[in-house]
Each structure stands twice: as C-alpha cells, then as structure tokens.
C-alpha cells in the first residue's frame, strides 16, 4: 500500500497514442498538399474569370510573367513598375535570352492582367513587349467553376 | 529488489518527448508553406510583329471584327460583330456558332477574330469576349472549341 502511494503522484501516464496518430495524419495531409510549382500568383492582381480557362498541359516555353494591376502599374519581379519604365526591364529580359542563345520570339509572355484594368493598358503592355521582339502572348484568366 | 524488477518487466516506457517535438516542428513547417493554388488557364493571342509575319494563308476567311465601346467608367456600352449590334456575350457565341458551325466541318480553324476595344474598356470584357468566341461549354462539361486565332486591333490613341 505504501509503495503504490509513493509512485502515484510522481508520474502520471498520459496515453499519447491518439495524439500521435492524429499528428501523423496531419503531417501526411500537409505533405501531400505541398506543391513545388513555381507559378507566379499575386494577390494584388484579381484575374478575370472564364469558364474556358483550363490549365495548360505543360509548362510554357521560357515564360515571362507580367502582371498588370488595376491602377495601370506592372508587377515585374515582385515590384510595381510603371508602364513607361517596363521597356527597360524587358530589354534586360531580351539580353538575358540572347546571352543564352535564345530568340526573344520563342519566349512566352504571360499577361496576368487585373479584370478591372483598362484594355488600353493591356495593349500598351503588349506593344512594349513587341518592341523588344517578343511575339508569343497568352492572356491568363482564372477558371470559373460556376455554371 | 523484487519490486524494481517487477516494475521493469511490467512496462517499458519510451520517452516520446523528442519525437513529438520534431513532429510538431514538421506540422508547423508544412502548415506555413501551405499554399492554395487557384486554377488558372491561358488564352493564346496572335500578335505578330509585322504584317508579313502574319500573312494570311490561301483559304483564310475574312476576320470577324468584334468591336466594344466603353463608357467613362470603363463599362461596356456596346458590342458589335461585323458592324451588327449584339446584346450580350451569349448572343455573340451563338452568332459565332452560326457563322463557323460547330463540330466536324467547321470553318473555325480558318477564321480569325479581331478585337477592337476602346482604351478605357474594363479588361474583364475582353476576357469574356475571348471566352465567347473561343469555345462553348456543353451541359455535360465538355468544351466545343470555336475560333482559336484571336488578335487585337491596333490600339487607338487616347
């Protein structure tokens, strides 16, 4: 009787099994939902919705992503740049491509423009790219699941 | 002595603390790196540099001209296809289907759409027009492809 009393308060045994089970379930879930995709997405741009915006099968060739915000500025490499200044950055892109023995026209320019931005700004952005020799453009939209 | 041996053989307790520490670290890492990816898709547009690059082939049909005008706030005020006024984008899609036909024998491959928009037009309308002319979602979820060659008319000066 004396022995039982002495080791009673010294150590309380909690059954850890259910907690560890649940924790491993959680780990498995997060591991499977982890994605290493490098697709550029930015909260500052609200893409227009489209029912036909199905994701492409493969990654695009030499993608250059330009994101147009609703106020007319372009997000290039994470920083907002005005439409007038984007030409200089595109010149750098062109030089990088030529340095790696690629033609600028083989690059794909991905235009992620905000649905509220002006069409004139989108066209101006495309024109700025054309002046640097980029020819392939895709307009990106968000897939609309609602019917 | 007897009591000690009894306690040992009774139950071997493993110290779980380091494992649980590591496991919680892992959970925290995966939770913080969790990113929900929104499904996005692309529309190809043809923007060749000069007229010579985009030289029309022999059997190319004349382009369909879709014109959209904008009000001062960027909202769409009118929509015309080849000069004819059209109510909404569903009607535009029906007109396109009437024009090129759907399914085999359709002339959609040979037809090109030229979008002519006011500079102030909200970009949302462009994507809706592109969606309307480039395909149709059937009730069973399959997509019937219509015109894939889409280009912008040269931008107007403001």
């Amino acid at each position: 009787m004396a022995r039982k009393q002495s080791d009673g308060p010294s150590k309380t045994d909690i059954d850890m099994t259910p907690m560890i089970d649940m924790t491993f379930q959680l780990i498995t879930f997060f591991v499977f939902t982890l994605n290493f995709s490098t697709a550029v997405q930015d909260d500052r741009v609200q893409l227009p919705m489209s029912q036909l915006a199905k994701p492409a099968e493969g990654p695009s060739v030499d993608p250059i992503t330009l994101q147009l915000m609703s106020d007319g500025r372009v997000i290039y490499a994470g920083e907002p740049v005005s439409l007038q200044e984007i030409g200089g950055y595109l010149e750098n892109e062109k030089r990088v491509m030529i340095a790696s023995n690629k033609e600028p026209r083989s690059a794909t320019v991905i235009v992620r423009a905000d649905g509220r931005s002006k069409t004139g700004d989108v066209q101006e952005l495309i024109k700025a790219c054309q002046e640097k020799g980029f020819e392939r453009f895709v307009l990106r939209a968000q897939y609309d699941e609602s019917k | 002595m007897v009591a000690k041996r009894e306690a040992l053989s009774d139950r071997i307790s493993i110290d779980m603390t380091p494992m649980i520490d590591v496991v919680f670290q892992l959970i925290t890492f995966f939770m913080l790196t969790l990113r929900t990816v929104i499904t996005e898709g692309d529309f190809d547009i043809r923007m060749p540099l000069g007229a010579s690059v985009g030289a029309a082939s022999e059997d190319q049909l004349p382009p369909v001209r879709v014109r959209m005008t904008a009000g001062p706030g960027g909202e769409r005020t009118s929509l015309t296809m080849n000069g004819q006024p059209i109510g909404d984008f569903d009607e535009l899609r029906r007109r396109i289907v009437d024009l090129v036909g759907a399914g085999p024998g359709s002339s959609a491959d040979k037809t090109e759409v030229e979008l002519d928009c006011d500079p102030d037009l909200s970009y949302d309308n462009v994507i809706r027009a592109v969606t309307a002319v480039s395909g149709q979602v059937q009730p069973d979820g399959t997509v019937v492809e219509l015109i894939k060659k889409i280009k912008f008319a040269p931008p107007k000066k403001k």
Side-chain angles (χ1 to χ4, degrees), chain A residues 4-31:
Chain A
K4 202 176 177 184
Q5 215 168 24
S6 69
D7 72 15
S10 71
K11 196 174 178 183
T12 322
D13 246 353
I14 308 167
D15 191 7
M16 290 285 193
T17 323
M19 192 187 77
I20 293 165
D21 284 358
M22 191 201 64
T23 316
F24 273 111
Q25 293 266 0
L26 279 173
I27 285 200
T28 322
F29 168 75
F30 285 120
V31 167

Side-chain angles (χ1 to χ4, degrees), chain A:
Chain A
M1 208 51 192
R3 197 190 60 144
K4 202 176 177 184
Q5 215 168 24
S6 69
D7 72 15
S10 71
K11 196 174 178 183
T12 322
D13 246 353
I14 308 167
D15 191 7
M16 290 285 193
T17 323
M19 192 187 77
I20 293 165
D21 284 358
M22 191 201 64
T23 316
F24 273 111
Q25 293 266 0
L26 279 173
I27 285 200
T28 322
F29 168 75
F30 285 120
V31 167
F32 278 114
T33 51
L34 184 72
N35 56 347
F36 294 102
S37 76
T38 50
V40 186
Q41 295 193 339
D42 201 300
D43 293 340
R44 286 171 286 184
V45 171
Q46 266 184 33
L47 288 187
M49 308 281 275
S50 169
Q51 290 179 353
L52 295 177
K54 295 278 172 63
E57 279 87 35
S60 22
V61 188
D62 301 322
I64 299 169
T65 307
L66 296 174
Q67 317 199 56
L68 184 70
M69 292 193 285
S70 53
D71 62 357
R73 285 183 300 164
V74 183
I75 303 174
Y76 175 82
E79 292 297 320
V81 176
S82 77
L83 259 178
Q84 287 77 36
E85 293 166 25
I86 195 72
Y89 295 98
L90 290 169
E91 184 68 39
N92 286 344
E93 288 278 351
K94 183 184 169 185
R95 281 203 205 114
V96 169
M97 288 210 68
I98 290 171
S100 52
N101 283 323
K102 287 176 191 162
E103 293 271 334
R105 66 197 153 94
S106 67
T108 310
V109 178
I110 301 169
V111 180
R112 290 185 90 246
D114 194 296
R116 297 159 297 176
S117 56
K118 290 175 182 171
T119 307
D121 289 344
V122 178
Q123 286 183 289
E124 219 169 289
L125 180 63
I126 290 175
K127 199 164 149 254
C129 297
Q130 284 179 324
E131 280 165 6
K132 303 297 171 198
F134 297 106
E135 284 187 16
R136 297 188 55 191
F137 297 92
V138 293
L139 303 179
R140 186 152 281 186
Q142 189 180 329
Y143 178 49
D144 185 6
E145 282 163 84
S146 62
K147 273 268 157 176

Side-chain angles (χ1 to χ4, degrees), chain B residues 97-112:
Chain B
V97 172
D98 288 348
L99 187 77
V100 300
S106 145
S107 58
D109 305 341
K110 299 175 216 155
T111 317
E112 189 172 37

